[in-house]
Amino acid sequence: MTIQRTLEWRAVAKGAATDIVATLVLGLIASVAIGVAMAAGWLPPSFNLKGTGMLLFLLALGLGCVVAGAWVAARAASARPYLHGLLVGAWTLPLGVFGWQSVPLWYALLSCVGSIAAGWFGGHLGRHAARPIVSFVAPVALPQSQYAALRALSSQLPAVLVEAMRTLLWRQPHWSRVHGSPALIGLLVGMQVLMLIGMERLMIVGAADFYWRALASGWFGTCCVAWACYLLRAQPDHQAAPSTAQVLTLIFAQTLVSGAVLGALFVLEVRSGSTLRQKFDSQTAWLVWLAPYLWLLSAQLPVLVRGVRLPRVRIGLAIVVASAGFAVNAVTDQTYFWYAAQTPVKQYPRLVLSQETMEAQQALLASGLAKVLPQRPGVIDLYAITFAPYAEAAEFRNESTMVAEVMRKRFDSGGRTLQLLNHNETAADIAWATPLNLQRAITRFAQVMDRDEDVFFLYMTSHGARDGQLAASFWPLEVATLTPATLKKWLDAAGIRHRVIVVSACYSGTWVNALADDNTLVMTAADADHTSYGCGNKSDLTFFGRAMFDEQLRVRTRSFEQAHRAARDIIRQRESDAGKEDGYSNPQIRVGSAIRIRLAQLEQRLAAPAK
């Protein structure tokens, strides 16, 4: 049989034409309706034509038109209605490729899968030529067998939910009332997903963004429970034992009921403005959070093992598998369907990496280094550099500027302070924070200062890594990261003796051992195992920079050690109030005996005019 005899291209053309015309007509009507609603002010100000809701509406509209076209093609063809319907769904895929670059990836993937499914469904509808299309969606017109199945499912659901409530109170289940079937299991799972979507949205006050990828998370526990059911029910010991499908159905019903109760309590708690962290200390709050998981596990394990006469090793393995699923769900970070809408981040102009910019930067660095004042004989001067190499975070720019100001006003470093900063708005005014510029600045400072008398101060603020690298970013300029070993090599080569090195970054404790010696004071915003806090679009300064320099050294003291002791307690309290989850950042300090004497002499000199 040839392809011409197998396929009726005229029928496919009719279906494709129907799809195109329906799409154009319905799209025009929808556009007019949305335009009128926007002009009349019926839509909220937050309405977004490119938002998730609008994209889902357009997707549903397009797939509906595909179904209509596939139905026409199936009706027009004398044979193979499914094949003709699928061709109508498939022919739209090449057309959609041209527009996929302007839509999210999830929309493109759903369009691909949905077009094929819609084509198949339209062919299914069209294979009954004498039956009107409405009969396939009207419940009264369903085939008798399908109607009976739906009626049975509607009666089985209340019964299994009642058994779930009984067994959650550790009552023995009545297995005769639990009808395990793929349809009922699928219905319970679907209800649980919809319940989570609804309750998570209620927990957020105000605008929220939907994260559809959460559908792919949290299934590890479900798979573990299903496996445990199979391990215990693959070979029932007697006819009265429940089947695997019955046990799995009841467990899913227990999860749904308990989730509804606990979800309602959490919604009330959040809406009341209080949280577990506010009511209890961290350890008690963790136990309260863990209690529902333990309650559900204690109610589901009897359902799994009751009536089973199998080797103890197999029963133990099933219990371990089910418990592992609960443990993973309890201790891992959950991906949610809804997140509070983020405040739009200020967009800074992009760095234009031109020849003029490069030459201007060279002139800025040369001018800044040339203006550094020489040392004053018999006077302990402080020479300061601030280094902020991460351009995408405004808090690092703010912090480096603030620290430079504190050094000038409180430590008499006016004319002896250099700021190195990566930021689009300051590219024409401040030299870039690159490792090469820092090395040149260290070399220049060593030339003009008295290396045996003066103190060299360096403040570095950025993101940090566990391996000690200080993050750098200034797209499209490529900036290398800085490490403790590299910095120490430069300082040793320059011959700078008295050093105060401050690193404000996550895991910055990795810098302490590499830089510490008798002539060096090293301070960090965190130890080697914890993150620091305060980075983000809502922060003007990091917690460490604010407490240490803005609140202590600016107004209270000139002692780095005294300021560090006070800042530690302040940071601990603020991190606790902010809900920092990975533990106290634990700022570090290491002070050599020689630098302690030198800094005491500097403090004495700076305090003298006040007398």
Side-chain angles (χ1 to χ4, degrees), residues 363-374:
L364 276 173
L365 180 64
S367 175
L369 295 179
K371 293 179 181 178
V372 177
L373 298 177

Side-chain angles (χ1 to χ4, degrees), residues 59 62 220 253 290 418 522 568:
L59 180 64
F220 180 78
L290 191 62
L418 178 68
V522 185
R568 280 177 57 87

